[in-house]
Amino acid sequence: MSDIVYSQIPTDNFSTVKLPDDFYFWLWRPALLKIIPPGLSSRRILHWLCHWLHLFYNKDYAVLYIVKNNKILHRSCIIPSSIRCLFMDKKDICVSMVWTDPKYRRQGLATSALRQVMFLMKKPGRVFWYITQDSNHASSWACLKAGFKPVGKAKRVRIKGYFFEQLTLEIFK
């Protein structure tokens, strides 16, 4: 099993995404007492710590949700660059931990969320990254439909003496 890395630099004509009337986007951001995003495990406290300890290289850590009738239908985590992904520039972000309620899959929610993330988080020179397992065809399809291009494979390297692994990028030839 390996991970495929996709990237995109959004163009200036990127616009907000229209959802059906009873759906809406909700952007969660960390705060002093907002530690773990709704629907995620307590392990995400590490992201909150990275945000507040400035271990992320920018302050754009967030989670974009698609909600209907106060029920979360989709989630896309927005993770700033850090020492974990050396191929990313300091202003870049990676969309990860993407999930859609099984009842709402194959309806374009993941693609809509990716486009909305790029609209909300667009900055000059910023590159958006997306990493998914090569066997996750639905995830790959969603990011391709959002305009991402495959650029390489992620290689996981366990950092000796540390509790995390770094991702390096092996560019496609």
Side-chain angles (χ1 to χ4, degrees):
M1 174 175 57
S2 64
D3 295 332
I4 304 296
V5 179
Y6 298 83
S7 71
Q8 180 177 18
I9 302 171
T11 59
D12 288 335
N13 61 357
F14 235 88
S15 61
T16 189
V17 174
K18 178 84 169 103
L19 291 173
D21 288 337
D22 49 347
F23 291 65
Y24 63 92
F25 289 112
W26 171 47
L27 187 67
W28 178 93
R29 290 204 181 256
L32 196 55
L33 297 176
K34 288 172 43 182
I35 299 170
I36 301 168
L40 289 170
S41 74
S42 59
R43 287 186 30 199
R44 295 306 133 214
I45 195 169
L46 291 175
H47 287 143
W48 182 83
L49 285 170
C50 287
H51 174 77
W52 290 105
L53 296 174
H54 304 286
L55 298 176
F56 288 143
Y57 295 147
N58 64 63
K59 294 190 172 283
D60 288 330
Y61 168 51
V63 180
L64 181 71
Y65 292 96
I66 296 177
V67 179
K68 176 184 178 184
N69 299 328
N70 292 324
K71 182 177 190 254
I72 295 171
L73 306 180
H74 175 85
R75 166 195 77 227
S76 290
C77 296
I78 302 160
I79 310 296
S81 60
S82 68
I83 194 168
R84 185 168 187 258
C85 294
L86 297 176
F87 56 89
M88 292 172 59
D89 192 64
K90 291 187 185 231
K91 63 185 161 290
D92 295 350
I93 58 175
C94 181
V95 179
S96 69
M97 293 179 285
V98 173
W99 170 86
T100 303
D101 182 313
K103 295 177 188 169
Y104 291 88
R105 291 182 182 164
R106 303 186 59 86
Q107 296 181 29
L109 295 182
T111 300
S112 295
L114 282 168
R115 289 180 176 154
Q116 186 71 4
V117 165
M118 290 185 287
F119 172 75
L120 294 172
M121 301 292 182
K122 183 173 60 171
K123 291 185 178 178
R126 170 171 275 172
V127 176
F128 290 85
W129 298 89
Y130 188 91
I131 302 169
T132 188
Q133 294 175 352
D134 60 359
S135 62
N136 190 340
H137 303 296
S139 184
S140 295
W141 181 247
C143 76
L144 289 169
K145 282 183 68 176
F148 283 75
K149 304 286 185 238
V151 294
K153 287 189 175 195
K155 182 179 177 190
R156 295 177 185 276
V157 179
R158 189 83 156 151
I159 305 302
K160 197 171 192 173
Y162 291 95
F163 63 91
F164 70 95
E165 52 190 17
Q166 281 184 322
L167 296 178
T168 58
L169 179 62
E170 296 176 354
I171 304 287
F172 286 139
K173 294 179 184 182

